[in-house]
Amino acid sequence: MASLVVEDMLRTYPADLGDVDRQKLAHCIEECAACAQACGACADACLSETGHLDMLAKCIRTNMDCADVCQATGSVLSRHTGYDANLTRAVLRACVVACATCADECERHASRHEHCRVCADACHRCRQACDDLLGALG
Amino acid sequence: MASLVVEDMLRTYPADLGDVDRQKLAHCIEECAACAQACGACADACLSETGHLDMLAKCIRTNMDCADVCQATGSVLSRHTGYDANLTRAVLRACVVACATCADECERHASRHEHCRVCADACHRCRQACDDLLGALG
Amino acid sequence: MASLVVEDMLRTYPADLGDVDRQKLAHCIEECAACAQACGACADACLSETGHLDMLAKCIRTNMDCADVCQATGSVLSRHTGYDANLTRAVLRACVVACATCADECERHASRHEHCRVCADACHRCRQACDDLLGALG
Amino acid sequence: MASLVVEDMLRTYPADLGDVDRQKLAHCIEECAACAQACGACADACLSETGHLDMLAKCIRTNMDCADVCQATGSVLSRHTGYDANLTRAVLRACVVACATCADECERHASRHEHCRVCADACHRCRQACDDLLGALG
């Protein structure tokens, strides 16, 4: 099975990571990758719901916004040192809002479209991971 | 000369754009594209400054963070309608911080490395455009 | 007016650019940025064409593919030196296919949806710029 | 443990996936996500190798190119249906070249820098997954 190598990359990092919670950081990077992928796939799944697209247009947009923000957040967090804490926090806050917004929208369609349920779960987990990391950053 | 078609895409948009300031929106999307490109190119230019790289490592990181955040911001803003104002604001705030951080860092090297001066200018303009749009969003 | 600073970044580049055609390179980076933005905006404009979405689902997908590929191509090209010619060529070739595919699809809707006409034009220009740069790379 | 939900998104896909090999597709999307993250983290780890940066400048560039191409490839592949086989193939081919180039470069530093070894492995796996999917696409 393929899997992310976030923890291997952290373990082999040649410099001090500062006092960041390493496990929360790894977890957050992983959830950002998972959520970005899920949102991209959910947008495409929604586009296959022929006959329901007018109702899903907002969901598709929110999916794409969330995918973009999660991808940028994961990239910023993967630069492990020399954090500008202000920038990390601002990006994490944007990601929390993107994930919360997308979870809300996907949940509105979750009973009818299972891909929206899977995607809403990924958004919730990513939001939680960002919140946890934000808390740990102090 | 090649140029962005942001305004043409806004002009031909088939739905109401709401009460967003159309000119500030277009300007902000353009500055995000310009800043993302400049930051990517500046990171690469820094990597060509053989013998000075230890001093430029932080600048390269900040360039890459800023490029990622500007690219995501431009993508979110290019979805013109159905704005979730909270999400737009959170993304713009992250972009303001990314641009301010990168402008500060690039300016420290601007007297020695002209690419850092050009990049710092792009960051300043993008930060201003994000601030202006944030103000217009109310 | 905001504008890309591609040429300024090339002008201030601290190392030899090799024998790449500098004007074709700058032009291609600019067209990639323009096409990525146009495609993202066209996907969103299509999503606003209430009542026509079933017919536009493929166009939206192609828009998103083209936006992703153009963005990656512009980023790779913005790393100006040390080109691995094989990689540059492979990325440019993928971009040519993405732009051609999206131009074809957008043109099918261009008479009804003006945003698709603007986007098809951006795709054509970007495809041409990639082709020209490919030719110049030898 | 966080993990990608690629298979859940494929399982809940509301339309026919055509005759693509579902397992190879899922695997390839996962490896693209893993490789993009590893390359971004490796670029940053290289930037922390104070005193060795002149020797790692090419590696950092190749990391960034590979990250961009893998991210775009994963996004294109996550749009599961209506594949334009030509586009999918062109993107996969670019990804094969990007991964092979980055694996080569990282391997040159793998004995000294463990992060380069981990990253080279991720590049090899992603290259293989892209090759396998290309073969399955016919």
Side-chain angles (χ1 to χ4, degrees), chain C residues 6-43:
Chain C
V6 178
E7 287 180 22
D8 285 337
M9 292 310 296
L10 278 171
R11 188 180 43 76
T12 60
Y13 199 76
D16 187 11
L17 286 169
D19 57 358
V20 70
D21 183 315
R22 190 182 279 244
Q23 210 165 355
K24 283 182 180 160
L25 176 60
H27 185 67
C28 192
I29 294 171
E30 290 167 347
E31 292 296 3
C32 283
C35 192
Q37 196 278 329
C39 285
C42 189

Side-chain angles (χ1 to χ4, degrees), chain D residues 34-76:
Chain D
C35 193
Q37 197 278 328
C39 286
C42 189
D44 191 66
C46 286
L47 282 170
S48 287
E49 300 284 2
T50 313
H52 302 265
L53 264 69
D54 288 348
M55 237 163 41
L56 290 169
K58 193 184 172 193
C59 192
I60 295 169
R61 279 185 177 109
T62 314
N63 275 325
M64 293 195 284
D65 283 348
C66 193
D68 285 333
V69 174
C70 285
Q71 207 161 72
T73 305
S75 296
V76 168

